[in-house]
Amino acid sequence: MIELRRVQDRWRRCDVTVRDFPFALLLTVLSLMPGFQGNGTQIGDLPTRPYDVLAVLVIALECLPLTVRRRWPAVCLVLVSLGFALDQLFAYHALAGTALPIALVSAGAHLERHRRGTVLLLTVAYVPLMVALDRLGSNESLADIALLYLTLVLAWGIGTWLRSTRAAEAERRRHLAEATRAAERTRIARELHDVVTHHVTAMVVQAEAARYLTTAPERLDTTLSAVTDTGRRAIADLRHLLDLLNPDHDADLRTPSVGDLHALVEQTRRAGQPVEFTEEGDPAESAGSAEFVAYRVVQEALTNALKYAHGSRTVVSVRNGNMITVEVSTDGSGSRTGSPGGSGRGLAGLRDRVDALGGEFSADRQADGGFVVRARIPAGSPS
């Protein structure tokens, strides 16, 4: 079985002329066999002529050009048409005549340029061939001549249909590839936003606080140590993200989950944000990507709290179960920090993530000026 697959793979890698040659050779051999002589296409009532050396040349002219029917379809069609005309004029009526509709299908499917000109040229050439056969005594009726012409047109039409089908499939694959690339770029942008924004915001807040602690060396040292730790954590998370994007990385790459929320909350507290954290229930055994999205919801909400409500009381509530419920709120008593303003990409990305898992997401301002972020995410959602 393995050897057969290798042979098939090697055959597919061969040039199209190599792959088309066996069929052209087979049709040539069959047309020359005594049992098939005179059993091909016959226009009119001209008596079939016995095969001679010229018949061999005519049959070769009809069949062998099929070798290049996909590489050079126009050349193939011209040579096969010429061979077909000679076949009828000399009344060999060879089986090789079936090469003409095959060449027409191939030309309709693979000819890239001068398609209308090719059709017009073949139509013009068809008329003098019928006139010449009539003068030789073929006695073919106009109805039969028209039927043969329509048959050839049908062969061209089949090739054109195959061409349009192939083009439509290529276009579908192109759109699918573009959509896949766009989705991947969006995923990478979200991950970078989640990782970079949170850590950088914490570092900015901590650095701002350090400016006012020059008279308290111990507190200043603690704050600067927190900045250093946050920077190291940011580098570690970025490396983790790069490992996720590297297809050759064999390490066991773990994504954040609700089990990592304690470390996230503690990091936010060290940045000067008073955070109250409560967690109810045990995470589901098959929470899938729901835990990861829940972690990102809390992370983005805490980042915004550091940015726009620094120092205000922040409450984080997580309830595990069949539905992971997350709520993060601020009381509006804090102040805006000097960190860069947001673009809204974070909340929009969270809404898309939660919606993709069949959950619910909201972010609303409260009456006291605070802000509340809520999310309900079905546990066990596929990644």
Side-chain angles (χ1 to χ4, degrees):
M1 180 64 70
I2 296 178
E3 291 297 328
L4 179 60
R5 289 180 179 177
R6 289 179 179 177
V7 171
Q8 291 176 343
D9 290 339
R10 291 179 180 177
W11 177 252
R12 293 190 189 99
R13 288 195 295 265
C14 291
D15 188 79
V16 290
T17 55
V18 176
R19 286 180 281 159
D20 289 338
F21 176 71
F23 176 74
L25 183 61
L26 176 63
L27 186 58
T28 303
V29 173
L30 289 177
S31 299
L32 292 174
M33 293 179 65
F36 292 97
Q37 292 183 8
N39 293 326
T41 304
Q42 180 176 353
I43 302 176
D45 299 326
L46 292 178
T48 301
R49 178 177 174 179
Y51 281 13
D52 50 18
V53 176
L54 181 60
V56 175
L57 296 178
V58 170
I59 290 173
L61 183 61
E62 284 184 278
C63 298
L64 293 182
L66 292 179
T67 303
V68 296
R69 64 188 180 90
R70 287 188 284 180
R71 174 58 61 83
W72 299 304
V75 174
C76 170
L77 184 57
V78 169
L79 294 178
V80 171
S81 299
L82 178 59
F84 179 83
L86 294 175
D87 182 12
Q88 297 302 317
L89 291 173
F90 287 106
Y92 292 121
H93 305 148
L95 179 65
T98 56
L100 181 59
I102 295 174
L104 282 168
V105 171
S106 298
H110 301 287
L111 187 63
E112 298 291 341
R113 302 173 59 186
H114 309 299
R115 294 176 62 85
R116 292 182 180 179
T118 301
V119 172
L120 180 60
L121 178 63
L122 292 175
T123 301
V124 171
Y126 184 78
V127 175
L129 174 61
M130 295 300 106
V131 172
L133 289 174
D134 183 69
R135 290 184 177 181
L136 290 175
S138 66
N139 299 322
E140 191 74 23
S141 66
L142 290 177
D144 290 338
I145 291 175
L147 180 61
L148 176 60
Y149 179 79
L150 292 177
T151 302
L152 299 179
V153 171
L154 177 62
W156 175 272
I158 292 174
T160 302
W161 175 78
L162 292 173
R163 172 186 173 86
S164 61
T165 302
R166 187 174 65 247
E169 177 63 18
E171 185 69 11
R172 186 191 68 82
R173 291 181 178 180
R174 185 181 68 83
H175 284 302
L176 179 61
E178 289 181 354
T180 302
R181 286 194 297 268
E184 184 65 13
R185 286 195 298 267
T186 301
R187 185 181 72 86
I188 294 173
R190 287 173 181 171
E191 292 298 318
L192 285 173
H193 174 274
D194 292 340
V195 171
V196 175
T197 304
H198 177 76
H199 291 303
V200 171
T201 299
M203 292 171 67
V204 170
V205 172
Q206 291 164 345
E208 285 286 329
R211 295 172 55 188
Y212 303 99
L213 298 175
T214 55
T215 58
E218 293 182 359
R219 294 179 60 190
L220 177 60
D221 181 71
T222 301
T223 302
L224 293 178
S225 296
V227 174
T228 302
D229 292 341
T230 303
R232 289 172 178 168
R233 197 172 293 110
I235 293 174
D237 286 350
L238 286 173
R239 286 175 177 169
H240 176 81
L241 177 58
L242 292 175
D243 287 340
L244 286 174
L245 299 176
N246 183 6
D248 299 326
H249 200 281
D250 297 327
D252 183 17
L253 301 175
R254 189 182 66 88
T255 56
S257 64
V258 292
D260 300 307
L261 289 177
H262 290 279
L264 178 64
V265 169
E266 184 59 31
Q267 179 189 0
T268 307
R269 287 170 178 165
R270 295 183 65 183
Q273 190 75 4
V275 181
E276 298 178 12
F277 176 61
T278 59
E279 183 177 9
E280 301 176 9
D282 297 324
E285 294 183 358
S286 58
S289 57
E291 285 195 11
F292 172 69
V293 174
Y295 178 91
R296 291 305 192 201
V297 170
V298 176
Q299 185 183 52
E300 178 65 21
L302 291 179
T303 300
N304 288 338
L306 283 172
K307 281 184 180 180
Y308 308 115
H310 182 234
S312 68
R313 177 174 172 266
T314 304
V315 178
V316 178
S317 174
V318 177
R319 289 197 299 272
N320 295 303
N322 294 330
M323 182 77 68
I324 301 177
T325 303
V326 176
E327 181 174 318
V328 182
S329 62
T330 60
D331 61 10
S333 61
S335 60
R336 184 186 181 102
T337 67
S339 59
S343 61
R345 185 182 294 111
L347 293 177
L350 289 179
R351 179 173 283 105
D352 292 340
R353 281 175 167 172
V354 174
D355 289 345
L357 298 182
E360 302 172 2
F361 178 84
S362 64
D364 303 299
R365 188 168 296 280
Q366 301 189 93
D368 60 0
F371 209 77
V372 59
V373 174
R374 298 186 180 91
R376 287 168 46 85
I377 309 165
S381 300
S383 56

